[in-house]
């Protein structure tokens, strides 16, 4: 057999889903344990601060520091974020630093982890104070309809966050540069033009200083939209595999997934706020003596709001994850229709499984509560089987893709 037919045969052959390594299984199991621990802490810490009366004492301290309503809210939020951050700091150190090094997924210097942690605390305090000032101003003015007005205000806030994050926040943690491989960049821009995307920007980010995992993503909106590739994925995937990954990311943009995600998140926020409103009234009526406040407009209610929002979020996670998996699946479909390189798509997913120590079929419970993406095993199988162009069937997104 000559080389050309052999290459064709390899391209047509289905890519097998490899079994997970023993290291990947250990990483998966310990990750599930950590998810449970984090979930319990996410609910248990605000519950403890609330029912112990610590929140009321924090509010009293914040009043002495802030000297006024806005100052009190701001001081309380900073105190609360600092307190909870210190409580969870040992777990964060183990989860983000010790564990990733132990599994060979990171060579990050401790100084980088520490500086990122401090930066995240500062960013969290600033954003937390701004959001709290908005929410509590609405609570003071409209204690009965606060959930509705806060929900309406959440939509422009979400849009601002999407606009600001890629330009101002993400670069605080890593260095972003234009894609340095100009041959690949020309290829990317040509595919973007086929997908009807103008003014595309493709960046690489030096994530190798933090992790050995491979990833790519799309974020931003309008003038801030960008496709971002980890420098690790540039090293570990072939050009054809990268083109599929980028085709997937282009799919998110072309199919308006960012807009859909914002709209879906906003609806969830409004529903969550309404449920929090209903639940908080009953809890304050029953436990106000222990809480140390009798109105939700009191800044000491922060842990009550977070506790109830956490419960609602946990209950709604299967719906949110199912929506996310649908968007990711359709982006995979778009990437396949754009590149028509099933073999590269499947091998890219296999490499993602290997490099990220993933389990190809993590199970139903994982899918419901943690699975924001289809399992890698399912994605490999879809990449192997989805070939409508070979049988003359119409492409789902054929009208969005120009011919080569």
């Amino acid at each position: 057999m000559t080389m050309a037919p052999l290459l064709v045969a390899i391209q047509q052959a289905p890519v097998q889903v490899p079994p997970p390594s023993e290291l990947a299984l250990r990483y998966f199991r310990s990750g599930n344990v950590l998810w449970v621990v984090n979930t319990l802490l996410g609910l248990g810490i605000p519950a403890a601060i609330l029912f112990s009366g610590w929140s009321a004492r924090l509010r009293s301290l914040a009043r002495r520091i802030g000297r006024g309503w806005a100052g009190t809210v701001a001081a309380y939020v900073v105190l609360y974020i600092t307190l909870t951050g210190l409580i969870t700091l040992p777990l964060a150190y183990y989860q983000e630093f010790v564990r990733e090094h132990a599994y060979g997924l990171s060579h990050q210097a401790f100084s980088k982890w520490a500086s990122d942690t401090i930066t995240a605390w500062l960013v969290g305090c600033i954003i937390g104070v701004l959001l709290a000032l908005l929410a509590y101003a609405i609570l003071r003015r409209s204690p009965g309809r606060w959930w509705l007005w806060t929900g309406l205000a959440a939509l422009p806030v979400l849009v601002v966050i999407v606009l600001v994050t890629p330009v101002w926040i993400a670069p605080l943690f890593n260095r972003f540069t234009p894609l340095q491989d100009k041959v690949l960049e020309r290829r990317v821009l040509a595919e973007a033009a086929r997908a009807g995307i103008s003014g595309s920007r493709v960046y690489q980010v030096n994530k190798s200083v933090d992790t050995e995992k491979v990833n790519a993503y799309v974020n931003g909106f309008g003038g801030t939209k960008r496709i971002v590739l980890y420098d690790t994925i540039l090293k570990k995937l072939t050009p054809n595999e990268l083109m599929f990954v980028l085709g997937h990311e282009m799919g998110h943009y072309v199919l308006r997934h960012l807009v859909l995600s914002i709209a879906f998140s906003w609806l969830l926020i409004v529903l969550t706020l309404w449920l929090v409103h209903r639940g908080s009234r009953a809890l304050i009526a029953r436990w106000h003596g222990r809480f140390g406040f009798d109105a939700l407009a009191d800044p000491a209610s922060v842990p009550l709001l977070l506790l109830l929002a956490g419960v609602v979020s946990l209950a709604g996670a299967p719906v949110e994850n199912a929506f996310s998996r649908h968007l990711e699946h359709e982006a995979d479909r778009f990437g396949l229709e754009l590149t028509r390189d099933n073999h590269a798509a499947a091998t890219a997913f296999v490499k993602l499984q290997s490099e990220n120590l993933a389990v190809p079929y993590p199970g139903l419970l994982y899918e419901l509560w943690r699975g924001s993406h289809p399992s890698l095993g399912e994605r490999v199988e879809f990449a192997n089987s989805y070939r409508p162009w070979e049988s003359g069937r119409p492409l789902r997104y054929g009208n969005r893709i120009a011919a080569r």
Side-chain angles (χ1 to χ4, degrees):
M1 181 180 290
T2 62
M3 185 61 68
L6 179 60
L7 290 174
V8 172
I10 292 174
Q11 291 286 334
Q12 294 296 324
V15 174
Q16 299 300 312
V17 179
S21 66
E22 182 58 36
L23 188 65
L25 287 172
R26 293 204 306 270
Y27 187 72
F28 173 73
R29 291 164 186 155
S30 63
N32 287 335
V33 172
L34 284 170
W35 179 84
V36 171
V37 171
N38 280 302
T39 300
L40 292 176
L41 286 175
L43 300 176
I45 289 175
I49 293 174
L50 179 67
F51 282 92
S52 66
W54 291 357
S55 186
R57 290 194 283 273
L58 274 181
R59 181 250 291 124
S60 297
L61 175 59
R63 279 178 178 164
R64 292 195 293 274
I65 297 172
R67 300 182 181 278
W69 173 81
T72 298
V73 172
Y76 180 94
V77 169
V78 172
L79 289 170
Y80 185 87
I81 291 175
T82 303
L83 174 62
T84 55
L86 290 173
I87 292 171
T88 58
L89 185 61
L91 179 63
Y93 171 67
Y94 168 75
Q95 183 172 328
E96 299 167 7
F97 189 81
V98 174
R99 179 171 177 258
E100 296 299 288
H101 282 73
Y103 281 94
L105 291 173
S106 175
H107 301 291
Q108 184 187 52
F110 175 77
S111 58
K112 177 65 163 57
W113 177 84
S115 67
D116 283 354
T117 300
I118 294 170
T119 302
W121 171 77
L122 288 170
V123 172
C125 286
I126 293 169
I127 294 176
V129 166
L130 293 176
L131 293 179
L133 287 172
L134 174 63
Y136 278 95
I138 295 172
L139 266 166
R140 293 179 77 195
R141 283 183 165 271
S142 181
R145 298 279 185 181
W146 71 270
W147 62 272
L148 176 60
W149 308 127
T150 304
L152 292 174
L155 182 57
V157 169
L158 284 173
V159 174
V160 169
I161 289 174
V162 168
L163 289 171
V164 167
T165 297
V167 178
W168 297 105
I169 297 178
L172 295 174
F173 300 92
N174 292 98
R175 183 167 55 89
F176 290 74
T177 60
L179 187 61
Q180 295 174 12
D181 186 336
K182 297 307 176 183
V183 174
L184 179 61
E185 183 181 53
R186 286 194 293 272
R187 220 178 140 183
V188 171
L189 293 176
E191 290 296 88
R194 289 184 58 229
I197 303 175
S198 60
S200 301
R201 298 181 185 181
V202 186
Y203 292 87
Q204 63 184 72
V205 55
N206 67 330
K207 287 298 289 186
S208 57
V209 300
D210 299 324
T211 183
E212 291 299 313
K213 292 181 179 179
V214 297
N215 196 19
Y217 60 88
V218 59
N219 65 5
F221 188 77
T224 68
K225 71 177 183 292
R226 59 188 62 194
I227 297 170
V228 178
L229 291 163
Y230 282 19
D231 57 351
T232 52
I233 203 172
L234 290 167
K235 296 173 185 175
K236 297 176 181 181
L237 266 61
T238 67
N240 285 350
E241 291 165 347
L242 280 170
M243 288 309 302
F244 167 74
V245 171
L246 290 168
H248 168 100
E249 299 304 330
M250 292 175 196
H252 282 307
Y253 180 78
V254 172
L255 303 178
R256 304 287 191 269
H257 286 174
L258 185 56
V259 174
L260 291 173
S261 296
I262 290 174
F264 186 78
S265 297
W266 176 63
L267 291 174
L268 286 181
I269 288 172
V270 173
L271 176 60
T272 298
L273 291 172
W274 177 71
L275 291 172
V276 167
H277 171 68
R278 297 293 298 271
S280 63
R281 293 169 65 184
L283 287 173
I284 290 175
R286 173 68 178 83
W287 298 101
H288 62 90
R290 171 166 272 187
F291 293 168
F293 60 87
D294 56 10
L296 202 59
D298 190 315
S301 68
V302 164
L304 175 60
L305 295 171
L306 294 177
L307 174 62
L308 292 175
V311 171
V312 174
S313 178
L314 182 63
V319 175
E320 186 174 3
N321 284 328
F323 178 75
S324 177
R325 287 195 302 273
H326 169 72
L327 297 187
E328 294 297 333
H329 180 68
E330 292 309 302
D332 283 349
R333 189 193 308 275
F334 185 92
L336 285 168
E337 293 186 355
L338 181 68
T339 64
R340 300 193 185 186
D341 195 339
N342 300 73
H343 186 267
T347 56
F349 288 134
V350 168
K351 288 183 179 178
L352 285 172
Q353 175 185 325
S354 173
E355 296 295 336
N356 294 351
L357 291 183
V359 171
Y361 301 103
L364 180 61
L365 289 178
Y366 182 98
E367 179 180 276
L368 289 174
W369 271 276
R370 300 186 64 196
S372 60
H373 289 60
S375 72
L376 285 170
E378 292 171 329
R379 298 176 86 174
V380 171
E381 292 171 357
F382 182 67
N384 283 330
S385 62
Y386 186 70
R387 304 169 182 263
W389 51 87
E390 292 185 355
S391 58
R393 288 181 289 134
L395 307 185
R396 180 169 297 185
Y397 303 118
N399 63 335
R400 300 170 183 259
I401 300 172
R404 281 192 172 89

